Each structure stands twice: as C-alpha cells, then as structure tokens.
Amino acid sequence: MKGTLTIAGLGPGSDALVTPEVSAALAAATDILGYAPYVARVPPRTGLTLHPSDNREELQRAAEALRLAAEGGQVVVVSSGDPGVFAMASAVFEALEQAPQYQDLPIRVLPGITAMLAAAARAGAPLGHDFCAINLSDNLKPWAVIEKRLRLAAEADFSIALYNPRSASRPEGFGRALAVLKEAGCGERLVIFARAISAPDEKIATVTLNDATSEMADMRTLVIVGNSQTRRVGRWVYAPRGVR
Amino acid sequence: MKGTLTIAGLGPGSDALVTPEVSAALAAATDILGYAPYVARVPPRTGLTLHPSDNREELQRAAEALRLAAEGGQVVVVSSGDPGVFAMASAVFEALEQAPQYQDLPIRVLPGITAMLAAAARAGAPLGHDFCAINLSDNLKPWAVIEKRLRLAAEADFSIALYNPRSASRPEGFGRALAVLKEAGCGERLVIFARAISAPDEKIATVTLNDATSEMADMRTLVIVGNSQTRRVGRWVYAPRGVR
C-alpha cells in the first residue's frame, strides 16, 4: 500500500469538535506524530504506533513524518486546533522544501476548529467583523515585528486574536503587547481571556484592556482584543457587523 | 420544554467537515432558520420546520429565531462556515440587544470550519503565519474603511483572507481591492482563488497578484493573498512559520 501523509487538526479539546474527516483519518492511521499532549488524545490500538514528541521539535517531527510516509505508512501529524494556523502544516511544507525526494508523496491537510473560533463562539461573536490573528511567540520572529503588527492592527481597528500569549520561557511579551495596545489608544476596548475552551477546566473572562494584566493569560489561553465597536449584550460580547 | 437558540456553523460544504456537536444540534432541532441554500443542506424530517430566507434578511431572521425560541422551540440558526465569522452570530446578538425581553434565553454558538481554513488546507498552509480576514462587502461599512484596512494589512505583511470578494450587486470592489494591494507593493505576492471548497465543483488556482483579475472571483470564492514570504513547494503554497 502506498504511503500517505495527513496533517490533521484535532480542534480545541472536545471530541465533539473533531470533524468526521479527521476521525476517519485517525482510524486509518498506522503512525501518529505530534506534540505529546495532542498525541495523547488518540486512543492506542493494535496496528497504530504513536510518536509523541516535544514542543520545540516541529521541523524534525515533520521530516520524520515524511520519511515514515515514504516507507509506506499511513501517517497522520496531529495539531491542536487547525493545523494551518500557527501549527504543523507550515512545518511540514518547510520540511518538504528541504527534502525534494518526497515531493510526490500524497499529502492532505484536514482543517480543524482553531482556538480563536472556539473562544469566539463561547464569548459570543467578537470576530463578527474584520479581524487579525497574531502569534505572540517570538521564537521565530523578532519582537519588533510583533509590535509593528499590533500597532497597525490597532490603527486598522481589527479585532485581534492573540495566540500563544505567554509561556514559562516567554513571561514578558504579553505584558509588552498590552502596553503597546494601550499606547495605541485601545485602553477602553474589551479583552476576552479564553482558557482551555471545550476542555473540562474551561474558563472565560472579559475585562477592558485598561484592566487587563499579564497574569490573566498562560500558555493555554487564547486572547481576543475587541475592536472599537465591540460591546456586551447581557453575558455576551460581540462585534457588530457594520461600521457606524 | 424550555426553548433554546443555537447558532451553528455547517462548515464550507462537505458533511465530513460538520462537527459532531453541530450534527447533534440539527438532529434535536424543531426549527431551522437561515439563508435558503444553507437550510437546504439539512434533510427534512417529521417534527422539524425549515425556515429558509433571503440573503439580505439577517436581522429579521435573527429576531424571528429569538421569538421562536421564546415560544419554546429548539431553534437552530445555520450559517455556512463558522457562524461567528461574517455570518449569523453577530446578527443574533444585535437582535438580542434590540429585544431585551429575550436576554434570559439559553443561547449557544457552535463553531464551524470557516471558509479560509478549508481553503488554506486545500492550498497548503498560507495562513501559517500572522494573518487577517477582511469582508469585502461594503453593504454595512464604507468602502474607505476597506481600503484603509487593506493598506495597513499590506504594511503589516499579514496574509490576507478576503471574504465575499465579489457578487452580482458588487462587481467593482474586488478589482479596486486588487489595485490597492498592487499600489501597496504586493504585486509579486501569491494569490489563491479557492472556489466552493469541499463541494463537488471545488476549484483552486494560484497566481501572482500582478496576474490576478477581478473575474477570477465570484460570490462562492474565498481569496487568500499571501504575505511577502509565502511561496510554493511543488503544488503547495505555504507561509513559513518565521520571519527571516
């Protein structure tokens, strides 16, 4: 049987948010690779080899997945959320660029519910008008680029989804991002802190940016900064469809 | 039985991209409201009333959904893609703001695979780095706001997902958007035209912005403009994870 490589999104946590297409790919897999907590979401079974790996090893994991598929495996690389949003799909194509001998392999990317969509749904509709998504990790880009994008996003009056706001190795960045947005005049905007959405320990809170502090986020939090029109109705937060 | 209102995303077209959570909500519904082509995706059955309506009637549809739920219905409002991205969720919260008598109704928003995620997955990983999403319809916002956002998005070097690029009633806007991005120095960027992704008549094409023309998009097309680093590897298009 010819090997294949599938890059699949598991959604934010709940099995009720895994698409049937992804479930079918997992059921047909011989090998599953990914960051250990995501691989742990797949139940073991005969004929399936699980290959959990560490967070920082995206490119090596991608190269290993290509190699296993070339050997005939039905290989699935799993990401949390959507594999194309700050996740494994780009890493696989980077690895493919470095390994032209694999360019004829059958590859599929299967989308998933990315964190900002799950967080927005729980909060109401804060992404109902134009928005952007910025990865706050500066592992692979200079912090100056992040600051510039935050300023331009504020000027464009986008709602702003912030991925990877804060981790143990990057405790400072999120506080600086909040300061940049305050300087850009966003102090009165609503900010949603959505932690572990759809998992049993899910938590969501909304404050104004002036009241937001760095400690409100951790590595499992997705942050959405509203646009200038974002507002509350009852317990919900939403962006109106139009600009007045 | 107490009435409930659920706002559900059907994904881009294929049943394989509908989450189990949404399928369960559809199976339990007494009333389903939405734009006619989306309601037509739900099979009729005893005990279920389908309420198809026209494209431009979002706010009336939302008010009707609130009323039916208040009367005890298990009401589901369906959107294509994700209900929170340029779709029905914001309209429902706008209607709720105007009808405070319904503010205690149990409401749930169920996320879905929005068009840009499905399109990106089919193309490769063009949203693998920071990006924005802009609705090109100027029904509810001035065109000047759209132009300003396009210029700032280009300056921020975001990949740009363009929703509703072109319709029979708005034939001009998309051409103007392409011109704005050319003026902003994006002529060499890759542009993906993704039409009816996951439907039987799916079609996808990639050209440089200099070679893109207005006629390449219609109302079923999602357009993704790459960032300055977006490139091809074999038949794939992807944004590298980092900034060089």
Side-chain angles (χ1 to χ4, degrees):
Chain A
M1 192 168 175
K2 196 164 161 51
T4 62
L5 175 55
T6 302
I7 311 155
L10 298 179
S14 163
D15 287 345
L17 293 174
V18 180
T19 66
E21 183 177 75
V22 167
S23 295
L26 296 175
T30 59
D31 297 87
I32 293 180
L33 295 84
Y35 178 43
Y38 308 149
V39 172
R41 287 180 52 192
V42 182
R45 59 175 161 77
T46 309
L48 173 66
T49 307
L50 300 175
H51 306 258
S53 52
D54 203 45
N55 206 3
R56 298 275 182 116
E57 296 175 2
E58 293 189 339
L59 212 52
Q60 300 95 300
R61 181 192 302 148
E64 173 73 358
L66 288 166
R67 196 184 59 74
L68 288 167
E71 288 173 358
Q74 304 303 307
V75 178
V76 179
V77 174
V78 291
S79 282
S80 172
D82 180 274
V85 175
F86 313 132
M88 280 303 295
S90 280
V92 168
F93 294 113
E94 281 180 51
L96 187 66
E97 204 169 27
Q98 294 171 13
Q101 70 271 28
Y102 298 137
Q103 290 202 6
D104 291 331
L105 268 182
I107 298 179
R108 291 189 308 158
V109 184
L110 307 185
I113 303 293
T114 184
M116 70 178 167
L117 298 186
R122 209 64 111 210
L127 302 179
H129 193 73
D130 301 338
F131 63 92
C132 66
I134 299 177
N135 185 350
L136 281 193
S137 166
D138 59 356
N139 290 338
L140 292 168
K141 65 187 165 192
W143 179 259
V145 169
I146 297 175
E147 280 207 12
K148 181 182 175 186
R149 289 180 180 161
L150 290 169
R151 284 183 210 285
L152 291 166
E155 190 182 344
D157 202 10
F158 286 131
S159 298
I160 307 170
L162 298 174
Y163 280 73
N164 302 313
R166 198 158 174 263
S167 72
S169 61
R170 296 179 293 103
E172 305 297 336
F174 181 55
R176 289 160 71 184
L178 290 175
V180 167
L181 292 171
K182 254 181 243 185
E183 281 167 31
C186 302
E188 296 302 317
R189 292 200 193 185
L190 294 175
V191 183
I192 298 158
F193 291 87
R195 185 174 188 280
I197 294 299
S198 89
D201 53 343
E202 161 177 328
K203 202 176 144 191
I204 193 160
T206 302
V207 299
T208 66
L209 199 128
N210 280 331
D211 291 334
T213 63
S214 181
E215 293 68 34
M216 291 176 179
D218 66 10
M219 62 180 295
R220 295 181 69 200
T221 308
L222 185 287
V223 176
I224 298 177
V225 179
N227 68 16
S228 64
Q229 322 256 321
T230 301
R231 56 183 184 266
R232 296 178 190 262
V233 50
R235 74 173 193 82
W236 303 99
V237 179
Y238 84 101
R241 295 166 302 152
V243 172
R244 290 172 180 195
Chain B
M1 193 169 175
K2 196 163 161 51
T4 63
L5 176 54
T6 302
I7 311 156
L10 298 179
S14 163
D15 288 345
L17 293 173
V18 180
T19 66
E21 183 177 74
V22 167
S23 296
L26 296 174
T30 60
D31 296 88
I32 292 180
L33 293 85
Y35 177 42
Y38 308 148
V39 172
R41 287 180 52 192
V42 182
R45 59 174 161 77
T46 308
L48 172 65
T49 306
L50 301 175
H51 306 259
S53 52
D54 202 47
N55 207 0
R56 297 275 182 116
E57 296 175 2
E58 293 189 340
L59 213 53
Q60 301 94 299
R61 181 191 302 145
E64 173 73 356
L66 288 166
R67 196 183 60 74
L68 288 167
E71 287 174 359
Q74 305 303 307
V75 179
V76 179
V77 174
V78 291
S79 283
S80 170
D82 181 273
V85 175
F86 313 132
M88 280 303 295
S90 281
V92 168
F93 293 113
E94 281 180 53
L96 187 67
E97 204 169 27
Q98 293 172 13
Q101 71 271 27
Y102 298 137
Q103 291 203 5
D104 291 333
L105 269 181
I107 297 179
R108 290 190 309 158
V109 184
L110 307 185
I113 303 293
T114 184
M116 69 178 168
L117 298 187
R122 208 64 110 209
L127 302 179
H129 193 74
D130 301 338
F131 63 93
C132 66
I134 298 178
N135 185 350
L136 281 193
S137 166
D138 58 355
N139 291 337
L140 293 167
K141 65 187 165 192
W143 179 260
V145 170
I146 297 175
E147 280 208 11
K148 180 182 174 184
R149 287 180 181 161
L150 289 169
R151 285 184 210 285
L152 291 166
E155 190 181 344
D157 203 9
F158 285 131
S159 298
I160 307 171
L162 298 173
Y163 280 73
N164 303 313
R166 198 158 174 263
S167 73
S169 61
R170 296 179 293 103
E172 305 299 334
F174 180 55
R176 289 160 72 184
L178 291 175
V180 167
L181 291 172
K182 254 180 243 186
E183 281 167 31
C186 302
E188 297 300 318
R189 292 202 194 183
L190 294 175
V191 183
I192 298 158
F193 290 87
R195 186 175 186 279
I197 294 300
S198 89
D201 53 343
E202 160 177 329
K203 202 176 145 193
I204 193 160
T206 303
V207 299
T208 66
L209 199 126
N210 280 331
D211 290 333
T213 64
S214 182
E215 293 67 34
M216 291 177 179
D218 67 8
M219 63 182 292
R220 297 181 68 199
T221 309
L222 187 285
V223 177
I224 297 176
V225 180
N227 68 16
S228 65
Q229 322 254 323
T230 300
R231 56 184 185 263
R232 296 177 190 263
V233 50
R235 75 172 193 81
W236 304 99
V237 179
Y238 84 100
R241 296 165 301 153
V243 171
R244 289 170 181 198

mmCIF file of all heavy atoms in Angstrom, chain B residues 35-62:
data_model
loop_
_atom_site.group_PDB
_atom_site.id
_atom_site.type_symbol
_atom_site.label_atom_id
_atom_site.label_comp_id
_atom_site.label_asym_id
_atom_site.label_seq_id
_atom_site.Cartn_x
_atom_site.Cartn_y
_atom_site.Cartn_z
ATOM 1 N N TYR B 35 -30.165 31.327 5.547
ATOM 2 C CA TYR B 35 -30.163 31.615 4.114
ATOM 3 C C TYR B 35 -30.526 30.301 3.394
ATOM 4 O O TYR B 35 -30.013 29.228 3.736
ATOM 5 C CB TYR B 35 -28.777 32.123 3.731
ATOM 6 C CG TYR B 35 -28.542 32.425 2.281
ATOM 7 C CD1 TYR B 35 -29.500 33.071 1.497
ATOM 8 C CD2 TYR B 35 -27.329 32.075 1.683
ATOM 9 C CE1 TYR B 35 -29.252 33.354 0.158
ATOM 10 C CE2 TYR B 35 -27.071 32.361 0.347
ATOM 11 C CZ TYR B 35 -28.041 32.991 -0.415
ATOM 12 O OH TYR B 35 -27.794 33.268 -1.729
ATOM 13 N N ALA B 36 -31.426 30.399 2.401
ATOM 14 C CA ALA B 36 -32.033 29.203 1.802
ATOM 15 C C ALA B 36 -31.034 28.101 1.396
ATOM 16 O O ALA B 36 -31.261 26.920 1.718
ATOM 17 C CB ALA B 36 -32.914 29.612 0.626
ATOM 18 N N PRO B 37 -29.918 28.430 0.717
ATOM 19 C CA PRO B 37 -29.006 27.345 0.311
ATOM 20 C C PRO B 37 -28.379 26.594 1.494
ATOM 21 O O PRO B 37 -28.016 25.424 1.353
ATOM 22 C CB PRO B 37 -27.908 28.077 -0.488
ATOM 23 C CG PRO B 37 -28.510 29.379 -0.879
ATOM 24 C CD PRO B 37 -29.496 29.734 0.190
ATOM 25 N N TYR B 38 -28.254 27.277 2.651
ATOM 26 C CA TYR B 38 -27.693 26.587 3.818
ATOM 27 C C TYR B 38 -28.759 25.717 4.483
ATOM 28 O O TYR B 38 -28.482 24.577 4.881
ATOM 29 C CB TYR B 38 -27.111 27.593 4.819
ATOM 30 C CG TYR B 38 -26.144 28.579 4.196
ATOM 31 C CD1 TYR B 38 -26.020 29.874 4.680
ATOM 32 C CD2 TYR B 38 -25.355 28.214 3.108
ATOM 33 C CE1 TYR B 38 -25.136 30.783 4.114
ATOM 34 C CE2 TYR B 38 -24.479 29.120 2.517
ATOM 35 C CZ TYR B 38 -24.374 30.396 3.021
ATOM 36 O OH TYR B 38 -23.515 31.292 2.456
ATOM 37 N N VAL B 39 -29.986 26.229 4.585
ATOM 38 C CA VAL B 39 -31.079 25.437 5.157
ATOM 39 C C VAL B 39 -31.310 24.182 4.309
ATOM 40 O O VAL B 39 -31.632 23.104 4.836
ATOM 41 C CB VAL B 39 -32.368 26.286 5.267
ATOM 42 C CG1 VAL B 39 -33.563 25.421 5.666
ATOM 43 C CG2 VAL B 39 -32.166 27.416 6.285
ATOM 44 N N ALA B 40 -31.082 24.316 2.992
ATOM 45 C CA ALA B 40 -31.298 23.178 2.085
ATOM 46 C C ALA B 40 -30.321 22.040 2.349
ATOM 47 O O ALA B 40 -30.531 20.917 1.874
ATOM 48 C CB ALA B 40 -31.179 23.647 0.633
ATOM 49 N N ARG B 41 -29.255 22.297 3.112
ATOM 50 C CA ARG B 41 -28.313 21.219 3.442
ATOM 51 C C ARG B 41 -28.846 20.303 4.550
ATOM 52 O O ARG B 41 -28.261 19.251 4.812
ATOM 53 C CB ARG B 41 -26.958 21.821 3.859
ATOM 54 C CG ARG B 41 -26.193 22.404 2.665
ATOM 55 C CD ARG B 41 -24.861 22.996 3.074
ATOM 56 N NE ARG B 41 -24.056 22.051 3.849
ATOM 57 C CZ ARG B 41 -22.965 22.386 4.504
ATOM 58 N NH1 ARG B 41 -22.545 23.639 4.485
ATOM 59 N NH2 ARG B 41 -22.296 21.481 5.168
ATOM 60 N N VAL B 42 -29.936 20.721 5.229
ATOM 61 C CA VAL B 42 -30.483 19.918 6.324
ATOM 62 C C VAL B 42 -31.635 19.075 5.784
ATOM 63 O O VAL B 42 -32.602 19.609 5.251
ATOM 64 C CB VAL B 42 -31.007 20.825 7.460
ATOM 65 C CG1 VAL B 42 -31.518 19.976 8.619
ATOM 66 C CG2 VAL B 42 -29.906 21.786 7.921
ATOM 67 N N PRO B 43 -31.559 17.726 5.907
ATOM 68 C CA PRO B 43 -32.651 16.886 5.389
ATOM 69 C C PRO B 43 -33.942 17.108 6.182
ATOM 70 O O PRO B 43 -33.910 17.192 7.418
ATOM 71 C CB PRO B 43 -32.147 15.452 5.587
ATOM 72 C CG PRO B 43 -30.784 15.540 6.164
ATOM 73 C CD PRO B 43 -30.491 16.951 6.545
ATOM 74 N N PRO B 44 -35.090 17.203 5.493
ATOM 75 C CA PRO B 44 -36.372 17.370 6.184
ATOM 76 C C PRO B 44 -36.703 16.120 6.996
ATOM 77 O O PRO B 44 -36.250 15.024 6.654
ATOM 78 C CB PRO B 44 -37.389 17.519 5.035
ATOM 79 C CG PRO B 44 -36.595 17.679 3.774
ATOM 80 C CD PRO B 44 -35.237 17.114 4.028
ATOM 81 N N ARG B 45 -37.450 16.297 8.071
ATOM 82 C CA ARG B 45 -37.958 15.148 8.844
ATOM 83 C C ARG B 45 -39.178 15.601 9.631
ATOM 84 O O ARG B 45 -39.389 16.806 9.841
ATOM 85 C CB ARG B 45 -36.874 14.582 9.772
ATOM 86 C CG ARG B 45 -36.344 15.579 10.770
ATOM 87 C CD ARG B 45 -35.375 14.958 11.783
ATOM 88 N NE ARG B 45 -34.568 15.995 12.414
ATOM 89 C CZ ARG B 45 -34.987 16.820 13.382
ATOM 90 N NH1 ARG B 45 -36.235 16.736 13.840
ATOM 91 N NH2 ARG B 45 -34.179 17.736 13.890
ATOM 92 N N THR B 46 -39.965 14.627 10.108
ATOM 93 C CA THR B 46 -41.148 14.927 10.915
ATOM 94 C C THR B 46 -40.718 15.671 12.180
ATOM 95 O O THR B 46 -39.720 15.303 12.792
ATOM 96 C CB THR B 46 -41.860 13.616 11.324
ATOM 97 O OG1 THR B 46 -42.064 12.850 10.130
ATOM 98 C CG2 THR B 46 -43.199 13.908 11.976
ATOM 99 N N GLY B 47 -41.482 16.707 12.529
ATOM 100 C CA GLY B 47 -41.170 17.445 13.749
ATOM 101 C C GLY B 47 -40.203 18.595 13.546
ATOM 102 O O GLY B 47 -39.906 19.342 14.480
ATOM 103 N N LEU B 48 -39.698 18.736 12.320
ATOM 104 C CA LEU B 48 -38.746 19.811 12.034
ATOM 105 C C LEU B 48 -39.348 20.774 11.012
ATOM 106 O O LEU B 48 -39.807 20.344 9.953
ATOM 107 C CB LEU B 48 -37.444 19.230 11.469
ATOM 108 C CG LEU B 48 -36.415 20.253 10.950
ATOM 109 C CD1 LEU B 48 -35.887 21.126 12.077
ATOM 110 C CD2 LEU B 48 -35.260 19.539 10.245
ATOM 111 N N THR B 49 -39.365 22.052 11.345
ATOM 112 C CA THR B 49 -39.814 23.068 10.389
ATOM 113 C C THR B 49 -38.600 23.824 9.861
ATOM 114 O O THR B 49 -37.803 24.337 10.645
ATOM 115 C CB THR B 49 -40.790 24.060 11.067
ATOM 116 O OG1 THR B 49 -41.849 23.318 11.675
ATOM 117 C CG2 THR B 49 -41.375 25.031 10.039
ATOM 118 N N LEU B 50 -38.485 23.848 8.542
ATOM 119 C CA LEU B 50 -37.394 24.606 7.914
ATOM 120 C C LEU B 50 -37.890 26.004 7.558
ATOM 121 O O LEU B 50 -38.997 26.162 7.041
ATOM 122 C CB LEU B 50 -36.898 23.880 6.650
ATOM 123 C CG LEU B 50 -36.367 22.456 6.869
ATOM 124 C CD1 LEU B 50 -36.012 21.802 5.522
ATOM 125 C CD2 LEU B 50 -35.139 22.453 7.782
ATOM 126 N N HIS B 51 -37.092 27.020 7.862
ATOM 127 C CA HIS B 51 -37.456 28.417 7.608
ATOM 128 C C HIS B 51 -36.381 29.069 6.734
ATOM 129 O O HIS B 51 -35.575 29.860 7.232
ATOM 130 C CB HIS B 51 -37.556 29.207 8.917
ATOM 131 C CG HIS B 51 -38.463 28.641 9.958
ATOM 132 N ND1 HIS B 51 -39.730 29.125 10.198
ATOM 133 C CD2 HIS B 51 -38.285 27.630 10.849
ATOM 134 C CE1 HIS B 51 -40.289 28.441 11.195
ATOM 135 N NE2 HIS B 51 -39.427 27.530 11.608
ATOM 136 N N PRO B 52 -36.348 28.738 5.442
ATOM 137 C CA PRO B 52 -35.340 29.373 4.585
ATOM 138 C C PRO B 52 -35.670 30.837 4.353
ATOM 139 O O PRO B 52 -36.840 31.211 4.314
ATOM 140 C CB PRO B 52 -35.436 28.577 3.273
ATOM 141 C CG PRO B 52 -36.829 28.046 3.262
ATOM 142 C CD PRO B 52 -37.234 27.844 4.698
ATOM 143 N N SER B 53 -34.665 31.677 4.210
ATOM 144 C CA SER B 53 -34.939 33.096 3.928
ATOM 145 C C SER B 53 -33.853 33.670 3.023
ATOM 146 O O SER B 53 -32.877 33.000 2.682
ATOM 147 C CB SER B 53 -35.086 33.897 5.223
ATOM 148 O OG SER B 53 -33.986 33.690 6.083
ATOM 149 N N ASP B 54 -34.042 34.902 2.656
ATOM 150 C CA ASP B 54 -33.184 35.534 1.668
ATOM 151 C C ASP B 54 -31.882 36.041 2.316
ATOM 152 O O ASP B 54 -31.796 36.238 3.525
ATOM 153 C CB ASP B 54 -33.951 36.684 1.014
ATOM 154 C CG ASP B 54 -33.375 37.036 -0.347
ATOM 155 O OD1 ASP B 54 -33.126 36.108 -1.137
ATOM 156 O OD2 ASP B 54 -33.157 38.234 -0.598
ATOM 157 N N ASN B 55 -30.903 36.298 1.472
ATOM 158 C CA ASN B 55 -29.562 36.658 1.892
ATOM 159 C C ASN B 55 -29.480 37.922 2.741
ATOM 160 O O ASN B 55 -28.735 38.000 3.713
ATOM 161 C CB ASN B 55 -28.718 36.856 0.625
ATOM 162 C CG ASN B 55 -27.256 36.596 0.882
ATOM 163 O OD1 ASN B 55 -26.888 36.273 2.015
ATOM 164 N ND2 ASN B 55 -26.436 36.724 -0.132
ATOM 165 N N ARG B 56 -30.267 38.925 2.348
ATOM 166 C CA ARG B 56 -30.144 40.245 2.962
ATOM 167 C C ARG B 56 -30.981 40.408 4.235
ATOM 168 O O ARG B 56 -31.102 41.495 4.753
ATOM 169 C CB ARG B 56 -30.586 41.319 1.947
ATOM 170 C CG ARG B 56 -29.720 41.376 0.696
ATOM 171 C CD ARG B 56 -28.513 42.259 0.947
ATOM 172 N NE ARG B 56 -27.689 42.375 -0.250
ATOM 173 C CZ ARG B 56 -27.481 43.510 -0.916
ATOM 174 N NH1 ARG B 56 -28.021 44.635 -0.503
ATOM 175 N NH2 ARG B 56 -26.713 43.530 -1.986
ATOM 176 N N GLU B 57 -31.578 39.321 4.721
ATOM 177 C CA GLU B 57 -32.550 39.454 5.816
ATOM 178 C C GLU B 57 -32.007 38.977 7.146
ATOM 179 O O GLU B 57 -32.727 38.418 7.963
ATOM 180 C CB GLU B 57 -33.824 38.671 5.456
ATOM 181 C CG GLU B 57 -34.522 39.246 4.239
ATOM 182 C CD GLU B 57 -35.716 38.411 3.797
ATOM 183 O OE1 GLU B 57 -36.003 37.403 4.470
ATOM 184 O OE2 GLU B 57 -36.340 38.778 2.789
ATOM 185 N N GLU B 58 -30.724 39.220 7.399
ATOM 186 C CA GLU B 58 -30.094 38.644 8.591
ATOM 187 C C GLU B 58 -30.757 39.079 9.897
ATOM 188 O O GLU B 58 -31.005 38.263 10.780
ATOM 189 C CB GLU B 58 -28.610 39.016 8.626
ATOM 190 C CG GLU B 58 -27.816 38.372 7.496
ATOM 191 C CD GLU B 58 -26.318 38.563 7.665
ATOM 192 O OE1 GLU B 58 -25.906 39.470 8.409
ATOM 193 O OE2 GLU B 58 -25.558 37.802 7.059
ATOM 194 N N LEU B 59 -31.035 40.366 10.010
ATOM 195 C CA LEU B 59 -31.557 40.874 11.277
ATOM 196 C C LEU B 59 -32.996 40.408 11.536
ATOM 197 O O LEU B 59 -33.339 40.030 12.666
ATOM 198 C CB LEU B 59 -31.451 42.407 11.305
ATOM 199 C CG LEU B 59 -31.188 43.039 12.662
ATOM 200 C CD1 LEU B 59 -29.982 42.434 13.360
ATOM 201 C CD2 LEU B 59 -30.979 44.545 12.508
ATOM 202 N N GLN B 60 -33.816 40.394 10.493
ATOM 203 C CA GLN B 60 -35.187 39.879 10.645
ATOM 204 C C GLN B 60 -35.159 38.392 11.012
ATOM 205 O O GLN B 60 -35.927 37.922 11.847
ATOM 206 C CB GLN B 60 -36.018 40.042 9.358
ATOM 207 C CG GLN B 60 -36.177 41.468 8.854
ATOM 208 C CD GLN B 60 -35.118 41.833 7.824
ATOM 209 O OE1 GLN B 60 -33.913 41.808 8.131
ATOM 210 N NE2 GLN B 60 -35.546 42.199 6.626
ATOM 211 N N ARG B 61 -34.275 37.643 10.338
ATOM 212 C CA ARG B 61 -34.136 36.208 10.623
ATOM 213 C C ARG B 61 -33.731 35.984 12.079
ATOM 214 O O ARG B 61 -34.261 35.105 12.772
ATOM 215 C CB ARG B 61 -33.088 35.612 9.689
ATOM 216 C CG ARG B 61 -32.865 34.133 9.854
ATOM 217 C CD ARG B 61 -31.623 33.699 9.069
ATOM 218 N NE ARG B 61 -31.736 34.027 7.661
ATOM 219 C CZ ARG B 61 -30.713 34.406 6.884
ATOM 220 N NH1 ARG B 61 -29.484 34.484 7.387
ATOM 221 N NH2 ARG B 61 -30.898 34.698 5.616
ATOM 222 N N ALA B 62 -32.795 36.802 12.559
ATOM 223 C CA ALA B 62 -32.332 36.673 13.946
ATOM 224 C C ALA B 62 -33.464 36.961 14.926
ATOM 225 O O ALA B 62 -33.644 36.239 15.919
ATOM 226 C CB ALA B 62 -31.158 37.628 14.179
#
